[in-house]
Amino acid sequence: KTLKTDEATHGGYHYSCVIYLSTQGEDFQGGDFVFNDPKDPDAPAEDFRHMSLEEQLRRTGRKLTPFHPTRGAAVIFSSGWENMHEVEKITHGIRYAVPAFFTTCPVPEAAYDQMVAGKPKTDEDIADDWLHLLLAHRPESPMEGAGRVRELLMKWHYMCTPLSMH
């Protein structure tokens, strides 16, 4: 368990997402995604006597909200200090998940030159981009797949905005 915030890892991360491809209790044990928020000052005090010192420090003045992963579920949240979180240790099996990070910063023009399809110019181009970037309907190598995901993360905000607003 390491308490963290994604924006502290990379200043360009403004939104974070984890999509789960496996289910807790079926495919793995442990591995809760836990939001760690300030405790409401009016909340009753907890009894920490049965906990290790490390666990006492983790919980003092904090409200822990676990999310139990299931296949097809996603956790989507802003990446700043308002959403400190951690993942509990996986005790058995394998948890498959896809993390994704999004920015509200514009993509530099030069970055579009490195992309397979470049900047979309028509609504049809945008539809083709969504089809290719999300569904990967063409055969591709692992490196091409990684590039496709990188391109999706860089272009998603451009593809969600009407062309008339560019």
Side-chain angles (χ1 to χ4, degrees):
K1 294 181 268 194
T2 301
L3 187 59
K4 66 182 218 130
T5 173
D6 297 324
E7 198 172 55
T9 305
H10 189 288
Y13 292 170
H14 298 120
Y15 295 94
S16 302
C17 173
V18 180
I19 302 168
Y20 291 96
L21 305 178
S22 51
T23 298
Q24 185 183 51
E26 293 177 19
D27 305 305
F28 65 94
Q29 301 296 326
D32 273 343
F33 181 100
V34 181
F35 283 107
N36 187 314
D37 297 310
K39 184 180 275 189
D40 179 345
D42 298 329
E46 288 186 62
D47 181 7
F48 292 130
R49 290 177 289 182
H50 65 284
M51 297 179 195
S52 68
L53 178 58
E54 177 185 1
E55 190 64 15
Q56 289 177 34
L57 291 171
R58 177 177 170 248
R59 291 176 173 265
T60 299
R62 309 300 297 173
K63 175 186 173 193
L64 304 181
T65 307
F67 175 78
H68 309 292
T70 57
R71 185 177 301 109
V75 179
I76 303 168
F77 52 97
S78 58
S79 302
W81 291 101
E82 68 280 2
N83 282 311
M84 291 174 43
H85 59 279
E86 60 194 19
V87 176
E88 293 183 342
K89 182 179 179 180
I90 295 168
T91 57
H92 185 299
I94 299 174
R95 182 189 70 163
Y96 291 100
V98 178
F101 306 96
F102 303 94
T103 183
T104 57
C105 299
V107 174
E109 285 298 316
Y112 288 105
D113 296 336
Q114 300 171 14
M115 297 179 189
V116 173
K119 191 183 290 188
K121 293 174 180 54
T122 67
D123 289 336
E124 192 170 285
D125 289 345
I126 291 173
D128 287 345
D129 262 356
W130 279 121
L131 181 64
H132 172 66
L133 294 173
L134 290 175
L135 301 178
H137 63 283
R138 298 184 277 245
E140 63 187 12
S141 71
M143 288 302 292
E144 290 169 326
R148 180 177 48 79
V149 171
R150 181 173 175 259
E151 187 169 333
L152 172 63
L153 294 177
M154 289 173 47
K155 289 171 89 171
W156 74 274
H157 67 279
Y158 192 94
M159 296 187 319
C160 290
T161 307
L163 286 172
S164 60
M165 298 181 72
H166 292 281

